Amino acid sequence: MDVSGLVVTGLATCFEVASLLYSYGKQVKGARRDIQNLSNELFGLIGALEHLKIQQEHNAAQDAESSQPPPYQEMEIDDNTSKTNYGKESISDSNTQPPNMASVLKQTIEFLRELQQSLLEPKGRLNAAIHLMKWPLRESEVQRHLDRLERVKTYLVLSLVTDEVDQSRKMANEIHALRTLVQDTSFKQQAIDLPAIGELLATHEGLYDFAYFYCSFSQDESLHTHNVLGSILAQICTQSDPLYGEIRAKHATASKKSSSKPAKLDVDDLVDLIIRQARYRQRLHLVIDGINECSDPYNLLQALEKILISASGVQLLISSINEKGIEKCVNHMPKTYEVTILPKNIRHDVSLLVYSALENHPRLRALPQDLKSDISVKLTNGAEGMLRTPGAVQKALASLPPTLDKTYENILGRIDEEEDRMLTRQILELLAFSLRPLRLSEVCVMLQITPGMHALDESKSLTQPKDILDICGSLLKYNEKLGTVTLAHHSVKMYLTSNPGKKASFFKISAQEAHRTIAMLCLTYLSFGAFNRERQEPSSLLCEWYPFLDYATFYWALHMQEVTDLSEPLWGTLRSFLLSSDDGRQNFNNWVTVLVPDSTLAKTTTPLYYAASYGLTTVVKFLLSVGVDTEVHGGRGGATPINIAAYRGHLDVVKLLHKHGADPLKPDLSSGLNAMQWAYYQRALEVVDYFRNENYCIKTGI
């Protein structure tokens, strides 16, 4: 049997022993400590075996991608280490050679089966009854089993750690080689210009492929996910590549479908092609610079995560400002390392940027050299790139705000009229915390909505939607092609959520209050009279008729996840929306229909299911208080609320549902899996631990 088979056998035996220990724990008194100690070592061994299983699957995938798989590398343990850590009973038959993984796993299985045999019931009714009432192991026997389990567990953990160290050392060597390669002047001259922003920084004849993309805030086309991925694909693909013909064919098909716009492959196609291209290479380095500038960085990060997981040879370097949303996405990626860049370390970069602007701008280039030097020093030390027109440059230098924060304070401080100040704050709040770029039409609708209304008040609508841009001035940026409006720069949000200066203190924004406001606007809109009757129109047509319907449908619950204060009027609006079906209104059902088009879920899935799926603990608590059924199947897979909560890893919701009688052993209609199994397969470890503490783990066989 190979290593993978031995790992699976070891895991199965561990679970069988755990089941026996569980039985003794329920019926035998006076052996609680022994059972607990053995269980702890057993679950530690299970964890090590699980990690080894993942490693073996990863190695198998790598071997499948290469024509000649590398030989298995065993961990080296010298004699002194072995004697020190493993005591008298060696896990190897040789005192001079390190044990190989297969022999260690075989001996592990032998240890487990010996322990299992000592716990099995003897034949005969009387002996079996006595056996279950009495703990069969003496103290010395328990200690011997503990020593054995600890010893093999330690060996497996050390093997895993050693493999990680080897991988890290290999990565460091590759980075050093790559840095030497990139610094080679003759190599840099081979760079190829592409239509999209990006440069090919490696030849396909070498060991390394290297693709680079800069998300330039000043160039809209560089801020969209499909352009970033398209540039990467263009950089790593040549006419001699096996997939070149397929890429051309896909592009031709897209061109036929697109008569008015330049043809573009969709994101899923681009991700798939990059993954397949990467598999032809031993190593592929991708660098995405300024990912926070993207219009939808989270969508791009999800695509990059899929590439990392699916192509083992890909290594990714991204740069970004420190944003919680981006940091959360990055932390989900495998083997992530974070490096903080201090402001003092980028001063030289800022200086180069200013110098480039002064030399390339036609009007600034003509300025006297001493004046340009003065500008460079001033901007580099605090203004961070705010260039003035040459005609007033001397005056501008004298009054130039010392920091970017002061610049924003001056802009906001010049808004005098109370109505404009209120409107500006509303707009900035919406744009700072929207979960995708908002269209101008969506912002106009949001500005009209007030709690309790059942239709838009046209008297509150802006006669000219683009007045929004005039009111907020240079703090906003409008994309004419997409019709979207965003903050001019991510630093605007950072300023508004920190401590605006005295003149701008009115515009300070709280993340909690902003999410609460947007959730309120979404729920109010979804509760409009236009949606309280059954709608037969296609979802796409409804979203065309009602400009804010798309955003309200897909994002209200995500905003609710960030809200801790559910006081009125939000609470009343949410309650009315969730229970609309009870009094004959169709608002909730219409929301589900738009959320999941072409399905019958609206008539079969309850609000409790969706509240559990989104992890809305307070909403779940409310629905349970009004007596909703916790066992109704719903969703595409026919899951119960506790099953979908376990699948999503929402521990608080799982606890709440379980406390109110939800059965974690009730299987889904489609998969047949229950809550414990879903948590286990999704690696929701906190949920798994909760069920184990509730004694459900053995019942499900996990």
Side-chain angles (χ1 to χ4, degrees), residues 35 112 124 164 171 307 425-426 508 512 611 642 691:
I35 294 172
L112 289 168
E164 290 289 334
M171 184 186 299
I307 293 170
R425 191 186 185 284
Q426 275 184 280
K508 181 176 174 61
Q512 173 72 199
I642 196 171
F691 282 127

Side-chain angles (χ1 to χ4, degrees), residues 415-444:
I415 303 174
D416 295 328
E417 295 188 19
E418 185 63 25
E419 184 177 352
D420 284 353
R421 286 166 61 83
M422 292 289 293
L423 193 57
T424 298
R425 191 186 185 284
Q426 275 184 280
I427 294 167
L428 294 175
E429 183 179 55
L430 298 178
L431 298 181
F433 287 95
S434 62
L435 298 177
R436 68 156 169 78
L438 292 171
R439 293 187 293 274
L440 194 59
S441 58
E442 291 174 324
V443 178
C444 290

Side-chain angles (χ1 to χ4, degrees), residues 152-334:
V152 293
K153 178 192 71 175
T154 301
Y155 176 82
L156 295 176
V157 170
L158 285 173
S159 296
L160 292 166
V161 171
T162 300
D163 182 72
E164 290 289 334
V165 171
D166 289 342
Q167 291 294 326
S168 299
R169 186 181 297 111
K170 182 179 179 183
M171 184 186 299
N173 291 335
E174 290 175 356
I175 290 172
H176 176 74
L178 180 63
R179 182 169 55 195
T180 304
L181 188 65
V182 173
Q183 290 174 346
D184 183 355
T185 305
S186 63
F187 171 74
K188 288 182 179 180
Q189 292 174 353
Q190 300 173 18
I192 299 174
D193 293 329
L194 294 168
I197 297 174
E199 301 170 79
L200 184 63
L201 294 180
T203 64
H204 291 289
E205 297 174 358
L207 175 64
Y208 302 101
D209 277 2
F210 188 108
Y212 171 82
F213 193 96
Y214 172 52
C215 304
S216 173
F217 181 77
S218 60
Q219 295 182 275
D220 286 340
E221 290 302 312
S222 75
L223 304 180
H224 303 296
T225 299
H226 58 267
N227 285 342
V228 178
L229 298 176
S231 176
I232 289 173
L233 182 61
Q235 292 178 57
I236 64 175
C237 181
T238 65
Q239 293 186 20
S240 62
D241 282 329
L243 293 180
Y244 181 76
E246 183 178 343
I247 295 171
R248 291 293 300 270
K250 284 182 178 289
H251 192 272
T253 302
S255 299
K256 292 178 182 178
K257 295 180 180 178
S258 177
S259 56
S260 58
K261 299 179 180 179
K264 294 178 180 177
L265 300 181
D266 63 38
V267 170
D268 289 338
D269 278 341
L270 290 168
V271 169
D272 178 63
L273 289 167
I274 291 172
I275 290 171
R276 292 165 66 189
Q277 280 289 99
R279 288 174 177 166
Y280 288 113
R281 293 158 171 77
Q282 295 182 41
R283 188 71 68 196
L284 174 62
H285 298 273
L286 305 180
V287 179
I288 314 294
D289 194 4
I291 199 169
N292 55 285
E293 300 284 6
C294 288
S295 55
D296 189 359
Y298 311 113
N299 185 32
L300 177 54
L301 285 166
Q302 288 174 358
L304 293 171
E305 181 180 7
K306 185 175 181 181
I307 293 170
L308 280 177
I309 293 172
S310 303
S312 58
V314 173
Q315 294 186 344
L316 173 68
L317 173 66
I318 62 174
S319 71
S320 169
I321 64 166
N322 187 17
E323 284 189 2
K324 286 186 177 179
I326 291 177
E327 185 177 359
K328 185 176 180 181
C329 289
V330 170
N331 287 339
H332 284 163
M333 293 182 175

Side-chain angles (χ1 to χ4, degrees), residues 79 82-83 98 143 155 192 277 280 303 340 393 490 512 529 558 581 600 627 696:
D79 294 338
S82 179
K83 292 176 183 177
Q143 190 58 50
Y155 176 82
I192 299 174
Q277 280 289 99
Y280 288 113
T340 301
V393 71
H490 57 77
Q512 173 72 199
L558 299 180
S581 300
T600 59
Y696 279 102

